[in-house]
Amino acid sequence: MKQDFAVEETIKARSSVRTYDSTPLTQQEEQLLKEYMPKIKNPFGVTVKFALLQTDATGKAEKPGTYGMIKGAATYLGAFTSAGPLAAEGLGYSFEQLLLFASSLGLGTCWLGGTFQHSRFARALQVPADAYFPAVSPVGHPLGKRRVFENLSRWAIHANGRKSWAVLFFDQDFSTPLTPQAAGEFAAPLEMLRLAPSAINRQPWCVLKDHDAFHFFKACTAAKAEEDTSLGLDLGIAACHFALEAAEKGLPGHFEKLTAPGITAPNTLTYTFSWVLQETPA
Ligand SMILES: Cc1cc2nc3c(=O)[nH]c(=O)nc-3n(C[C@H](O)[C@H](O)[C@H](O)COP(=O)(O)O)c2cc1C
């Protein structure tokens, strides 16, 4: 399904915004976000709930904090779900779709999975105690100029860079890198995946193309994938970029977790799901 916004243009223009001008969202911006929320469905069958929090960005009123990471944001979005299979991937997918939509409106956003006061945000956003609530994001009007602190944080984690195709994408087996030429019409969805944000910009994903299927792997052992759900958030975000761009390019397909994907992978990679091209009737 095509999106209500220009996917490729939005992904290319997006970067995390940590400095805002303190103005609240306009009524129209808030309404557009709220109207878009119920339209978001992830392909993993995970029910994700969103909440929006208006705070006083300038005044002294007590508000949940971000350890100084975010400045001047009056509004925050949060996403939560119940624990279960592919909960992190589903939440990553859905929350990223909401944040891309916000970016398409010219608003700034920034995934916060670590630098936010979890219990205070949970209270303010009325998140149920037993929910899986891994992230929030400010949403608002960028100040336009990054703070020195923000630039330093970006520099420390190489936030402007991305890994090369040669280490992220593979053709039939893990000893053959996939080139944009060999990827053909899928070069654009893979490139949009490559631009996806991830925690500390670690880009912990690999994709193997095998005929009409793209197999998605977490770049970690199975034990690490089990223990660290934030890797699932990153993979869900990447899957969102891939799938939205594929839809924009008119490439139909669906995600599924194959029981026997029949791929020999090093044990530093963990198979998670596949995107399978849907044959169009002749
Ligand atoms: C799941 C996730 C968690 C993140 N957590 C934080 C965080 O706690 N604090 C922060 O300042 N940035 C956080 N980020 C933002 C990343 O550092 C940022 O997306 C990455 O460095 C790439 O930069 P870009 O978004 O500007 O392209 C997070 C991003 C993701 C996807």
Side-chain angles (χ1 to χ4, degrees):
M1 192 189 89
K2 280 220 169 163
Q3 282 310 308
D4 308 11
F5 62 92
V7 173
E8 185 167 327
E9 193 183 309
T10 303
I11 289 176
K12 285 182 173 165
R14 184 215 63 86
S15 68
S16 294
V17 175
R18 295 180 178 84
T19 313
Y20 295 83
D21 71 359
S22 300
T23 58
L25 296 185
T26 64
Q27 258 185 8
Q28 198 203 10
E29 286 164 342
E30 185 171 335
Q31 193 184 337
L32 285 169
L33 286 175
K34 286 185 169 162
E35 283 171 4
Y36 190 67
M37 289 174 185
K39 295 189 192 172
I40 300 176
K41 305 257 175 311
N42 63 74
F44 310 117
V46 175
T47 305
V48 178
K49 296 201 172 121
F50 302 113
L52 186 144
L53 176 71
Q54 290 287 8
T55 71
D56 172 12
T58 47
K60 297 262 180 293
E62 206 195 3
K63 59 175 199 279
T66 63
Y67 307 108
M69 199 49 92
I70 304 299
K71 191 154 190 279
T75 312
Y76 282 85
L77 294 166
F80 56 95
T81 184
S82 310
L86 296 179
E89 289 79 355
L91 187 140
Y93 189 111
S94 289
F95 199 34
E96 179 64 4
Q97 187 168 330
L98 178 60
L99 298 188
L100 285 175
F101 177 69
S103 300
S104 78
L105 302 177
L107 298 170
T109 65
C110 179
W111 272 86
L112 297 178
T115 57
F116 74 105
Q117 290 179 322
H118 188 277
S119 54
R120 290 178 70 177
F121 268 100
R123 252 196 322 277
L125 290 164
Q126 299 184 324
V127 176
D130 58 351
Y132 169 56
F133 170 49
V136 298
S137 169
V139 59
H141 309 122
L143 187 61
K145 193 172 173 319
R146 288 190 167 125
R147 286 167 292 153
V148 174
F149 171 68
E150 184 174 0
N151 278 327
L152 275 175
S153 326
R154 292 187 67 84
W155 173 80
I157 57 170
H158 306 287
N160 293 329
R162 290 297 187 268
K163 291 179 183 169
S164 69
W165 270 62
V167 296
L168 294 177
F169 306 137
F170 297 89
D171 201 354
Q172 313 275 353
D173 61 58
F174 280 103
S175 51
T176 315
L178 179 68
T179 62
Q181 292 71 26
E185 57 194 345
F186 284 96
L190 288 168
E191 179 60 12
M192 292 310 111
L193 183 162
R194 200 176 75 89
L195 298 181
S198 56
I200 52 171
N201 202 25
R202 59 192 166 173
Q203 305 153 76
W205 4 259
C206 275
V207 178
L208 181 85
K209 179 180 186 298
D210 184 18
H211 299 101
D212 287 343
F214 291 83
H215 304 297
F216 285 62
F217 289 78
K218 288 175 191 152
C220 64
T221 61
K224 177 79 180 155
E226 188 76 25
E227 162 209 314
D228 184 355
T229 55
S230 77
L231 291 153
L233 292 177
D234 289 335
L235 195 68
I237 294 168
C240 171
H241 280 218
F242 179 92
L244 295 190
E245 177 69 5
E248 183 163 279
K249 293 281 186 233
L251 299 165
H254 66 276
F255 280 102
E256 62 181 276
K257 194 173 179 75
L258 303 175
T259 36
I263 311 151
T264 311
N267 64 6
T268 47
L269 297 178
T270 301
Y271 170 75
T272 311
F273 47 66
S274 305
W275 186 91
V276 184
L277 181 68
Q278 196 174 305
E279 294 301 335
T280 38

